[in-house]
Amino acid sequence: MTLPAIAPQPGIMEIALYEAGSSTLSGRSDVLKLSSNENPFGPSDKAREAVARAAHQMHRYPSTDHAALRAAIAEVHGLDLDRIICGVGSDEIIHFLCQAYAGPGTEVLFTEHGFLMYRISAMAAGATPVEARERERTTDIDALIAAATPATRLIFVANPNNPTGTMVDLSELERLARAVPQAILVIDAAYAEYVGGDYDGGAELATRLPNVVMTRTFSKLYGLGGLRVGWGYGPRPVIDVLNRIRGPFNLSNVALEGAEAAIRDRAHAEHARTENARLRGWLATALAERGVPSDSSCANFILARFADATTAEACDAALKADGIIVRRVASYGLPHCLRITIGDEASCRRVAHVIGQFMAGRGDAT
Ligand SMILES: *Cc1c(COP(=O)(O)O)cnc(C)c1O
């Protein structure tokens, strides 16, 4: 007897697998990985110590309500802890939002060069992903408003955006949320910590408006990408919905303790932020002088722009030959660009040197 083929839900088989930034080059042990926007200084020592201590408690189930971590987040950011939900990276919060609010017959809207997880999570929920064009690699609020329909349930805007590094004003995001009241506007603020000034990632908007949620992560500035901790902040009814589909033990006690210690170490966070800003400015200028422009970035990477896809590919090959891995972003609709994470000072100098040699060798540096 042959069994009937058991098909997954509609949309699942159309998902293109997420490709992470690679981390190895065959035959090399001195690889410089600048492909995943990781903090070159690593996590706070206090986070390392907390993780080591928590390892002794591995036989215990972790907290289900994440009360201590939520309290630390609320304290540091001046937020209401009842409106915070923690997840296995902000990826899980994005997933919860799609699972809870999107589905067959609904649309999930994001921008042309938006984060690949929006499309993946939307399709996993059976929803239709919809892209709005950007203007010069920057979120275009009018294009998003024009692309919204009565079926739109979620709008994802990373601000700053990955892989472009550009951002828009919060007043513009408020205009979007008000223009599309049938949808939740999710402000993905994974890189908010790098912006500085009074940028709050959309926290105030998520406090004031009924259809705005902000997501944050410990994977970038806090250097804990391997631990998998993120969080969301929004209206209480939305957080209540998300908590119903959250696994009760989604975060390990190791992850919870590590993240709490990390966010309480303000000196480490401030050091990572100021060093990034300094080196990002240096690298952008150095590459521009070598004929490789980039948009002004607010995050911990820059998007280096080349004349065409062939040149970007050749430069990527030259970097690899020197043991440097950056991110090709053709899958983000940017085949002529390379996304380069801001490393420490020596790494930035090494990248600038190799790209400079590559451009000089081509004889078309401007
Ligand atoms: C890195 C990143 C995240 C964070 O993902 P985690 O699951 O928290 O590691 C979210 N959004 C964007 C745009 C990112 O680049």
Side-chain angles (χ1 to χ4, degrees):
M1 190 186 102
T2 54
L3 290 169
I6 302 172
Q9 289 293 305
I12 305 281
M13 293 312 290
E14 277 81 62
I15 295 174
L17 288 181
Y18 182 86
E19 236 180 90
S22 48
S23 53
T24 55
L25 289 174
S26 61
R28 287 199 79 117
S29 54
D30 61 339
V31 165
L32 173 56
K33 185 189 178 199
L34 299 175
S35 56
S36 297
N37 299 341
E38 294 152 338
N39 182 338
F41 308 109
S44 148
D45 284 338
K46 296 192 170 100
R48 292 180 217 267
E49 287 157 18
V51 163
R53 273 196 310 274
H56 294 287
Q57 295 299 317
M58 279 193 292
H59 58 302
R60 301 285 182 207
Y61 270 92
S63 144
T64 64
D65 64 7
H66 312 147
L69 177 57
R70 287 189 296 118
I73 293 168
E75 206 180 292
V76 167
H77 290 279
L79 301 175
D80 175 357
L81 68 87
D82 290 332
R83 290 161 154 250
I84 297 171
I85 179 170
C86 300
V88 179
S90 45
D91 281 359
E92 195 182 33
I93 309 294
I94 293 168
H95 221 74
F96 290 159
L97 284 159
C98 287
Q99 212 187 320
Y101 290 98
T106 72
E107 294 172 2
V108 174
L109 183 57
F110 45 86
T111 66
E112 189 183 353
H113 307 303
F115 191 40
L116 294 175
M117 286 312 298
Y118 309 149
R119 172 180 294 276
I120 292 175
S121 289
M123 291 173 80
T128 305
V130 179
E131 263 178 37
R133 68 175 162 71
E134 297 188 20
R135 186 183 295 143
E136 293 288 303
R137 298 165 301 280
T138 305
T139 298
D140 183 336
I141 298 297
D142 291 317
L144 282 163
I145 293 172
T149 75
T152 307
R153 289 291 172 278
L154 289 163
I155 306 174
F156 287 99
V157 175
N159 203 48
N161 192 21
N162 169 21
T164 59
T166 59
M167 66 186 293
V168 294
D169 280 352
L170 286 167
S171 60
E172 281 286 276
L173 293 173
E174 175 163 1
R175 183 163 76 83
L176 173 60
R178 290 189 184 280
V180 191
Q182 71 275 28
I184 294 176
L185 168 63
V186 183
I187 303 174
D188 178 340
Y191 300 96
E193 284 83 358
Y194 286 109
V195 176
D198 57 7
Y199 183 60
D200 69 358
E204 189 273 332
L205 278 185
T207 303
R208 186 157 50 81
L209 299 188
N211 65 328
V212 174
V213 169
M214 169 184 75
T215 60
R216 303 286 282 254
T217 184
F218 283 89
S219 301
K220 304 288 159 55
L221 181 99
Y222 293 107
L224 295 177
L227 209 54
R228 312 302 305 128
V229 189
W231 53 283
Y233 184 75
R236 240 177 253 233
V238 175
I239 300 302
D240 174 59
V241 165
L242 303 184
N243 268 320
R244 286 167 198 270
I245 55 171
R246 178 175 67 78
F249 305 110
N250 62 328
L251 288 174
S252 69
N253 44 25
V254 175
L256 289 165
E257 299 281 340
E260 185 186 341
I263 200 167
R264 289 192 185 282
D265 188 346
R266 301 316 302 159
H268 184 78
E270 189 53 22
H271 173 73
R273 193 185 70 73
T274 53
E275 276 297 278
N276 178 74
R278 179 176 76 82
L279 293 166
R280 181 182 60 203
W282 182 87
L283 184 61
T285 303
L287 293 189
E289 285 168 1
R290 290 158 175 80
V292 181
S294 57
D295 297 309
S296 175
S297 170
C298 303
N300 67 336
F301 54 84
I302 59 175
L303 186 69
R305 224 161 54 235
F306 297 85
D308 48 39
T310 313
T311 313
E313 264 168 58
C315 185
D316 184 44
L319 288 161
K320 280 204 172 75
D322 212 78
I324 303 172
I325 305 178
V326 300
R327 186 75 136 101
R328 299 269 343 262
V329 282
S331 57
Y332 285 91
L334 296 161
H336 58 305
C337 297
L338 296 176
R339 192 192 68 193
I340 306 170
T341 301
I342 305 303
D344 60 14
E345 181 147 0
S347 306
C348 288
R349 288 186 185 280
R350 192 170 148 193
V351 169
H353 176 73
V354 175
I355 293 182
Q357 288 208 314
F358 168 79
M359 294 302 286
R362 294 179 53 81
D364 59 3
T366 51

